[in-house]
């Protein structure tokens, strides 16, 4: 079966994009929708850390307008918690009084969070649902556009597209090196590039930070007039790429719910919240400390209803959106990690297999271009026609990249030209596959090219 490899493709806008959403900056404590005590405690903690600060600086630190900060400072002054200090560059500055420092330390003992003010849970829910990928249907053309520089077997295209449109969990399985994790990572590009992520969310008077710079990649480009988020001016929200959260063997049940760090006195968001509006990939399924059945049981209701129920360590429960594409990837047999009933509930199970000759050569040539290597002796074609059959090996998508990487390492070390010589590939082959090859590379390659086996 021939593989699909598009050299050039025009990327179109995602289908069914929602209309623009309005989220202006609040200009009073009431408009923030947050509890007054929470904002006052956060203000005092910032002042405890800074000692002296202007209204402008506090507004930047808390992500709120100057009007909101002025209102909070005025109330704190009325309660003798802050006092005026000398102005600087025309900006009046304030500092904590003795009573204010005491309250700030008490607030810090309860919560170690000192950052931007959170957004209300209801506001987060509204924006998260608004920018959900569930609003967008994936077409064959869109999927091909996403994979325009990737070699993909047609039968995988036929399976992946409907599976993503189903919005159900997808199990991807197959031997290591068949491209499972790579393909999963590319799927995040299907639904457009930008979403809004809040710095933190308020839940029952507690602050849970959502924005994680290791997961959420910020976009600093200017807004367009027709931009989906052009009317969002609230600095507590960040414009980001759709998140991709990958969790492997380190996955534990505690990562699926809100946790509390007693040392830092901070609430940690679960991986489901971090991955909202993006892709959550559970890699190496079956190799975690918890069973695959436990993971799936935890998420069966969120998957069906697009909502999850989280609880704080205090016992308070909250409903949150579950707006992500959930993918499971494993190189184990599905029957070894799931019973038949669970396999049926998963819905989509997609097997990644060895590739054909044409796909191997296409990937080989692509990797040669990427690494700046010259396959003058047509070694990619020789491998698939002679060496793989002789050694009775399956061809996997990772093999071209891995073999050529070893060749490239030898070229750099020995300061050679970019030509892939048979001796270099023979050494790479024996290093990579460990067992001695039954292919006498230099002699066999020369015969192969003399007999017209080259491209």
């Amino acid at each position: 079966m021939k593989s699909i490899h598009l050299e050039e493709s025009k990327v179109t806008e995602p289908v069914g994009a929602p209309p623009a959403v309005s989220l202006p900056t609040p200009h009073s404590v009431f408009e923030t929708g947050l509890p007054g005590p929470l904002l006052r405690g956060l203000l005092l903690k910032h002042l405890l850390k800074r000692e002296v600060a202007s209204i402008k600086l506090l507004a930047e630190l808390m992500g709120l307008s100057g009007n909101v900060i002025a209102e909070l400072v005025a109330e704190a002054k009325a309660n003798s918690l802050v006092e005026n200090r000398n102005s600087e560059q025309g900006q009046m500055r304030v500092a904590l009084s003795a009573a204010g420092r005491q309250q700030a330390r008490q607030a810090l003992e309860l919560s170690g969070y000192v950052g931007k003010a959170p957004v209300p849970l209801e506001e987060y829910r509204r924006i998260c649902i608004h920018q959900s990928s569930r609003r967008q249907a994936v077409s064959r053309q869109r999927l091909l556009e996403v994979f325009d520089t990737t070699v993909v077997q047609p039968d995988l295209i036929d399976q992946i597209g409907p599976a993503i449109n189903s919005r159900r969990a997808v199990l991807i399985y197959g031997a290591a090196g068949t491209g499972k994790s790579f393909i999963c990572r590319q799927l995040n590009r299907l639904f457009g590039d930008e979403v809004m992520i809040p710095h933190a969310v308020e839940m029952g008077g507690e602050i849970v930070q959502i924005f994680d710079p290791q997961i959420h990649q910020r976009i600093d480009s200017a807004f367009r007039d027709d931009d989906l988020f052009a009317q969002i001016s609230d600095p507590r929200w960040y414009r980001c790429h759709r998140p991709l959260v990958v969790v492997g063997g380190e996955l534990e049940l505690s990562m699926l719910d809100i946790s509390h760090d007693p040392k830092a006195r901070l609430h940690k968001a679960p991986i489901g919240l971090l991955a909202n509006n993006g892709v959550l990939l559970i890699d190496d399924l079956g190799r975690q400390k918890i069973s695959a059945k436990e993971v799936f049981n935890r998420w069966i209701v969120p998957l069906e209803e697009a909502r999850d129920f989280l609880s704080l360590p205090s016992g308070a429960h909250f409903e949150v959106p579950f707006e992500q594409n959930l993918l499971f990837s494993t190189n184990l047999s599905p029957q070894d990690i799931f019973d038949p009933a669970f396999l049926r509930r998963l819905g989509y199970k997609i097997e990644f297999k060895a590739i054909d000759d044409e796909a191997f050569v296409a990937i080989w040539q692509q990797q040669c271009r990427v690494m700046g290597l010259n396959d003058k002796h047509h070694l990619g074609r020789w491998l698939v026609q002679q060496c793989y059959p002789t050694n009775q090996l399956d061809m996997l998508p990772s093999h071209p990249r891995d073999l050529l990487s070893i060749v490239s390492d030898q070229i750099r070390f020995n300061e050679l030209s970019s030509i892939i010589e048979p001796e270099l590939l023979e050494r790479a082959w024996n290093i990579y596959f460990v067992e001695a090859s039954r292919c006498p590379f230099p002699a066999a390659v020369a015969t192969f090219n003399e007999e017209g086996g080259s491209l």
Side-chain angles (χ1 to χ4, degrees):
M1 182 179 290
K2 290 186 176 181
S3 60
I4 292 176
H5 184 217
L6 303 180
E7 289 292 344
E8 293 183 3
S9 183
K10 222 172 162 188
V11 178
T12 58
E13 289 297 318
V15 177
V21 62
S22 176
L23 194 60
T25 302
H27 293 287
S28 69
V29 171
F30 176 78
E31 288 181 6
T32 66
L34 297 169
L38 181 145
L39 288 176
R40 287 192 293 273
L42 188 58
L43 176 81
L44 296 179
K45 286 188 286 185
H46 275 292
L47 281 172
L48 183 66
K49 184 177 180 180
R50 291 278 174 170
E51 294 189 358
V52 180
S54 65
I55 300 293
K56 180 181 179 181
L57 176 59
L58 289 169
E60 292 174 356
L61 294 173
M62 295 180 64
L64 297 171
S65 69
N67 290 345
V68 175
I69 299 300
E71 186 178 340
L72 291 171
V73 168
E75 182 186 24
K77 284 182 181 178
N79 289 288
S80 301
L81 300 177
V82 302
E83 51 195 25
N84 289 336
R85 290 294 173 89
N86 294 333
S87 61
E88 186 178 81
Q89 296 180 347
Q91 292 283 331
M92 176 60 68
R93 302 189 300 162
V94 294
L96 294 173
S97 65
R101 281 194 295 274
Q102 183 178 356
Q103 282 204 21
R105 293 191 185 101
Q106 291 173 350
L108 200 57
E109 283 297 317
L110 294 174
S111 170
Y113 179 85
V114 185
K116 289 192 175 183
V119 301
L121 176 58
E122 186 54 42
E123 187 174 280
Y124 169 68
R125 183 185 294 117
R126 178 172 68 91
I127 298 300
C128 189
I129 293 173
H130 185 88
Q131 59 195 10
S132 170
S133 61
R134 294 173 189 269
R135 291 174 174 264
Q136 304 177 37
V138 176
S139 66
R140 178 180 296 274
Q141 180 60 29
R142 178 62 183 166
L143 195 57
L144 293 179
E145 289 168 353
V146 167
F147 292 132
D148 63 347
T149 59
T150 305
V151 179
V152 185
Q153 300 282 79
D155 60 327
L156 285 182
I157 294 290
D158 292 336
Q159 295 179 71
I160 291 172
I164 296 299
N165 275 338
S166 76
R167 305 296 183 249
R168 301 174 69 182
V170 179
L171 174 65
I172 292 176
Y173 66 99
T178 50
K180 301 184 300 298
S181 297
F182 176 79
I183 294 298
C184 288
R185 293 169 187 270
Q186 300 304 305
L187 292 176
N188 208 29
R189 298 165 49 203
L190 280 170
F191 305 105
D193 197 42
E194 300 169 9
V195 291
M196 298 301 292
I197 304 293
H199 188 83
V201 173
E202 181 268 332
M203 299 182 187
E206 301 288 351
I207 299 175
V208 179
Q209 183 163 328
I210 303 296
F211 179 78
D212 184 334
Q214 294 184 325
I215 293 173
H216 302 112
Q217 301 177 29
R218 293 185 62 177
I219 302 171
D220 296 323
S221 58
F223 290 111
R224 304 186 306 267
D225 291 338
D226 60 345
D227 201 296
L228 174 62
F229 305 112
Q231 299 179 62
I232 294 183
S233 56
D234 191 332
R236 296 173 296 169
W237 290 85
Y238 301 128
R239 184 176 183 153
C240 301
H241 294 287
R242 287 189 180 270
L244 169 66
V245 177
V246 182
V247 184
E250 72 276 16
L251 178 64
E252 299 178 350
L253 273 178
S254 61
M255 298 168 66
L256 310 184
D257 213 332
I258 297 172
S259 60
H260 184 258
D261 183 341
K263 187 174 181 180
R265 300 180 300 282
L266 294 172
H267 292 294
K268 293 185 177 180
I271 57 176
L273 276 184
L274 297 177
N276 262 340
N277 295 136
V279 167
L280 175 56
L281 170 60
I282 308 300
D283 212 357
D284 291 326
L285 187 66
R287 303 189 186 279
Q288 287 78 18
K289 296 179 181 178
I290 57 176
S291 69
K293 185 175 180 179
E294 287 179 290
V295 176
F296 194 69
N297 267 336
R298 169 63 181 80
W299 277 327
I300 186 64
V301 172
L303 280 170
E304 293 176 351
E305 300 184 2
R307 58 177 180 163
D308 196 7
F309 293 92
L310 302 178
S311 59
L312 290 167
S314 63
H317 293 270
F318 302 93
E319 178 187 321
V320 298
F322 194 80
E323 294 288 348
Q324 62 217 230
N325 290 283
L326 180 59
L327 308 174
F328 297 105
S329 174
T330 183
N331 55 17
L332 302 176
S333 169
Q335 288 81 4
D336 292 341
I337 54 179
F338 286 116
D339 59 39
F342 267 81
L343 281 177
R344 286 194 299 272
R345 296 177 80 180
L346 266 172
Y348 281 86
K349 285 81 66 176
I350 302 176
E351 183 179 8
F352 277 50
K353 305 176 183 178
I355 56 178
D356 58 24
D357 294 8
E358 184 176 346
F360 184 97
V361 173
I363 297 173
W364 179 273
Q365 293 172 342
Q366 183 185 66
Q367 290 300 313
C368 283
R369 290 192 295 271
V370 169
M371 299 182 190
L373 299 176
N374 181 357
D375 189 16
K376 173 183 176 181
H377 303 295
H378 312 294
L379 295 177
R381 179 67 70 183
W382 176 73
L383 285 177
V384 301
Q385 291 187 8
Q386 302 291 326
C387 209
Y388 273 93
T390 300
N391 288 275
Q392 298 182 330
L393 290 172
D394 287 333
M395 291 179 288
L396 302 182
S398 61
H399 287 174
R401 177 202 62 203
D402 295 343
L403 288 170
L404 290 171
S405 292
I406 298 174
V407 169
S408 180
D409 293 339
Q410 296 178 70
I411 288 174
R412 289 199 306 273
F413 177 73
N414 293 296
E415 300 182 27
L416 304 174
S417 72
S418 62
I419 297 174
I420 308 170
E421 299 294 349
E423 295 85 354
L424 297 177
L425 183 57
E426 181 178 25
R427 190 174 296 122
W429 177 276
N430 292 328
I431 289 172
Y432 188 66
F433 288 107
V434 182
E435 296 181 0
S437 164
R438 291 196 293 271
C439 297
F441 277 69
V445 170
T447 302
F448 176 73
N449 285 320
E450 287 173 6
E451 295 177 352
S454 63
L455 289 172

